[in-house]
Amino acid sequence: MMARISPEDGFTVLREVSQHTNTKLSSIAEQIIKHAQSAASPETVQAELHAALARTR
């Protein structure tokens, strides 16, 4: 999935996923970068990421 959003919305998405999964924001950002490089991300993080992105649109 590739979503193009503003930097401000991107930070909002990171913050929401971090809060909803009780995971440090920096860890979420790392997981997204690794996922972009073909590594798997935890299902809970993926689900929250999709939900947060949907809320920004």
Side-chain angles (χ1 to χ4, degrees), residues 8-28:
E8 294 83 11
D9 286 343
F11 186 75
T12 298
V13 166
L14 285 175
R15 187 178 64 240
E16 287 183 19
V17 173
S18 173
Q19 290 172 347
H20 289 229
T21 61
N22 197 29
T23 306
K24 288 185 177 184
L25 189 140
S26 60
S27 181
I28 297 296

Side-chain angles (χ1 to χ4, degrees), residues 29-43:
E30 264 184 56
Q31 290 176 23
I32 291 171
I33 291 169
K34 287 179 182 177
H35 181 71
Q37 298 170 338
S38 299
S41 293
E43 290 293 321

